[in-house]
Amino acid sequence: MTANSALIELIAVKKRFGDFQLEDINIDLYKGEIHVLVGENGTGKSTLMKMIGGWFPQDEGVILYKGIHYSFSSISEAVEGGILYLHQDLQNFENLTVAENIFFRTLSGRKKAFFYFNPEKIQARCLSVFKELNIKIDPQARLGSLGFAEKQLISAVRAYVSKAEVIIFDEPSSAMGDPEREILFNIVRALKQRGTAIFYISHRLDEIQTIGDRVSVLDRGTIGKTCICSEVGSQGIVEMMIGEVHRERYPRLSSRKGRTLLNVENLTHSPILKGVSFSLRKGEIVGITGLMGSGRTLLAKCLFGIVKPEEGAISVRGMERRFNHPLEAMEAGISLIPEDRMENGIFSIHTVKTNMTSAALKRFVNKLSLDDRFIYELTGKYVDELSIAPGHADDVVRNYSGGNMQKILIGRWLMQRSPIYIMDEPTRGIDAASKVDIYNTMNDIVEKGGAILLISSEIEEILGMCDRILVLAGGKIKGEMSREEASKEKILRLATDESG
Ligand SMILES: Nc1ncnc2c1ncn2[C@@H]1O[C@H](COP(=O)(O)OP(=O)(O)OP(=O)(O)O)[C@@H](O)[C@H]1O
């Protein structure tokens, strides 16, 4: 390997899974480079990166690492060899602390464990890294108690403290708001500075120019184009993505507002939520945004009966309700699309049709059994509407791409036909074209008299789709504004307001 040669080089690589095929892939990555990979859901971005990360080998073609044939046959061999792949669904250790997750690699191995397993030492190291990166998360918190964006940040810190020479970030920012993304970008830039070579998969196209050096588009299993990021304008990037031109990004229609469907008074769950009050009317999309840790997901869990608030009242269609279980919330007409699909949503060993129909089984009851014909018919309808690929009703979803799993989860709750939807980061990991399909379904829900509470860290999405916007900071609603009054600056100012 010469000083100018690529650290990673794929030559005519092929991989087939059933009907899906990656064909003649040629791509490379240099020391100190950030190579961004974009493409629609299910085009093979993660599959391609998993071959580099030691998950499985290619069927044909060559992968060179430091100029020699790549020969890692497992994930841990690849990690030992200097290649770290950070999966989009994170794969952290939920029962370990934040600090233990970050330094897990230094904990493994008997000799190392004996020397390093010192909780105070790990915590002190963690605190000093957090200070350097301006992260305000408790190193001793159990990882499972954090929100998805916080867990994403912890994964990025794992990369930061690692000695890997090649790091693959697979949608590292999909649930992050702008302030958290800034920390992530600083981590990625620091790694680049150290000479680490980085593949970076993203559906957030603004990131291409913010941090990328080169960008490649994966289109139906092949690399369509590779460009220098600074030479392609934002329109050029959009045009590189087939199917994403000529579509209104936020097709919000104004629907007629009716009576109040959901009213929340003084909801408190200490130490995070402090007296949250708001209402949601028929025909309305109300947005809730805020920084990570602001209490957005906890609020959703309280409204859906997953956790019990200590104080406060929830009324649904004028009747005060106390939910002890999500089933009671569902019976009252509430559906929740959760933030973490792998943790709280997808049944990965089951089929597309089981996943999609499981929340609405009552609809399919025919005398003493389930109406199979109707199950297939309705599954097919939502597969088409949400462009789920491959989308055969009997496919097991375990191997589906992240974005397609997310769409299956949305389909499940749409089948439920609830009057009230709580959507917690519903478009996480969804490509720009498919996002529009989801926004259209949201319009359809409110047109038909439903109401949506949209929790999102993407301010553009909140501005584009909501009638009213609530900003949560430190567990309190810091401000409420109409779509007309709202701006990114106003929202960010309120979201970062630390006054009590
Ligand atoms: N182990 C596997 N077995 C069978 N099929 C697989 C396997 N891994 C991936 N696939 C298939 O490969 C295709 C590409 O999936 P992949 O996860 O690479 O897409 P992606 O571009 O990363 O999508 P997304 O943007 O949604 O994350 C999908 O159709 C998926 O079902």
Side-chain angles (χ1 to χ4, degrees), residues 17 20 40-47 88 171 203 390 399-404:
F17 283 120
F20 174 78
E40 291 175 16
N41 292 132
T43 46
K45 301 177 296 297
S46 302
T47 303
Q88 56 179 269
E171 297 179 33
H203 289 295
N399 294 319
Y400 266 43
S401 80
N404 282 299

Side-chain angles (χ1 to χ4, degrees), residues 103-302:
F103 294 103
F104 183 75
R105 278 269 137 207
T106 55
L107 293 180
S108 62
R110 276 176 59 203
K111 256 190 180 166
K112 283 181 181 172
F114 178 73
F115 178 72
Y116 279 107
F117 194 77
N118 177 335
E120 286 84 45
K121 213 167 167 179
I122 286 171
Q123 202 197 334
R125 270 180 79 190
C126 189
L127 269 176
S128 107
V129 173
F130 279 5
K131 201 166 166 215
E132 208 171 296
L133 296 169
N134 195 21
I135 294 176
K136 295 181 181 83
I137 297 176
D138 176 5
Q140 278 186 302
R142 200 177 55 82
L143 195 99
S145 69
L146 305 185
F148 198 82
E150 290 172 305
K151 290 180 190 170
Q152 284 188 315
L153 208 50
I154 299 306
S155 271
V157 178
R158 269 179 57 210
Y160 183 75
V161 301
S162 83
K163 297 204 165 51
E165 290 176 75
V166 175
I167 299 182
I168 301 161
F169 288 93
D170 193 346
E171 297 179 33
S173 63
S174 57
M176 289 184 182
D178 285 355
E180 296 95 47
R181 278 207 299 171
E182 214 33 69
I183 301 177
L184 171 72
F185 296 156
N186 287 339
I187 291 176
V188 174
R189 287 187 193 112
L191 289 167
K192 174 184 161 75
Q193 202 72 34
R194 277 186 223 160
T196 312
I198 294 165
F199 272 123
Y200 188 101
I201 301 178
S202 184
H203 289 295
R204 299 178 78 167
L205 301 183
D206 61 319
E207 297 185 347
I208 296 172
Q209 281 168 319
T210 312
I211 50 157
D213 294 312
R214 280 189 299 159
V215 54
S216 291
V217 183
L218 202 58
D219 177 24
R220 281 162 286 185
T222 59
I223 299 281
K225 255 186 192 169
T226 297
C227 302
I228 310 275
C229 296
S230 57
E231 289 174 6
V232 272
S234 4
Q235 189 54 26
I237 289 161
V238 175
E239 280 164 12
M240 284 166 78
M241 309 270 300
I242 308 258
E244 301 200 352
V245 207
H246 312 307
R247 292 193 80 181
E248 166 84 66
R249 274 186 81 194
Y250 300 107
R252 178 79 186 101
L253 306 168
S254 184
S255 39
R256 220 152 50 90
K257 312 291 178 280
R259 66 190 177 119
T260 299
L261 291 184
L262 177 72
N263 194 55
V264 176
E265 292 284 345
N266 194 32
L267 202 80
T268 300
H269 191 291
S270 56
I272 298 177
L273 291 177
K274 299 165 192 138
V276 171
S277 303
F278 68 93
S279 63
L280 179 65
R281 291 168 62 190
K282 203 172 156 115
E284 219 182 7
I285 302 181
V286 170
I288 297 207
T289 191
L291 304 186
M292 60 180 194
S294 59
R296 298 168 302 187
T297 296
L298 182 61
L299 175 62
K301 286 182 175 170
C302 288

Side-chain angles (χ1 to χ4, degrees), residues 287-399:
I288 297 207
T289 191
L291 304 186
M292 60 180 194
S294 59
R296 298 168 302 187
T297 296
L298 182 61
L299 175 62
K301 286 182 175 170
C302 288
L303 298 176
F304 196 56
I306 299 172
V307 293
K308 269 194 195 170
E310 287 144 14
E311 273 179 53
I314 300 170
S315 309
V316 180
R317 288 181 278 197
M319 260 179 67
E320 192 168 328
R321 310 294 302 246
R322 269 172 211 281
F323 303 129
N324 293 308
H325 193 277
L327 275 177
E328 293 173 13
M330 283 165 68
E331 269 155 24
I334 301 179
S335 283
L336 168 70
I337 297 174
E339 172 186 51
D340 187 342
R341 59 178 167 250
M342 296 316 280
E343 183 76 8
N344 309 113
I346 285 292
F347 309 126
S348 62
I349 56 165
H350 289 288
T351 59
V352 170
K353 71 174 191 317
T354 305
N355 268 281
M356 287 181 83
T357 55
S358 58
L361 282 179
K362 276 190 193 158
R363 285 186 73 183
F364 304 101
V365 174
N366 183 4
K367 295 185 185 140
L368 288 177
S369 63
L370 294 174
D371 182 344
D372 242 17
R373 195 192 49 80
F374 187 33
I375 286 180
Y376 278 99
E377 188 186 307
L378 212 58
T379 304
K381 174 180 173 284
Y382 282 105
V383 161
D384 287 347
E385 221 164 82
L386 296 166
S387 319
I388 296 171
H392 311 296
D394 291 315
D395 287 348
V396 171
V397 305
R398 181 177 42 227
N399 294 319

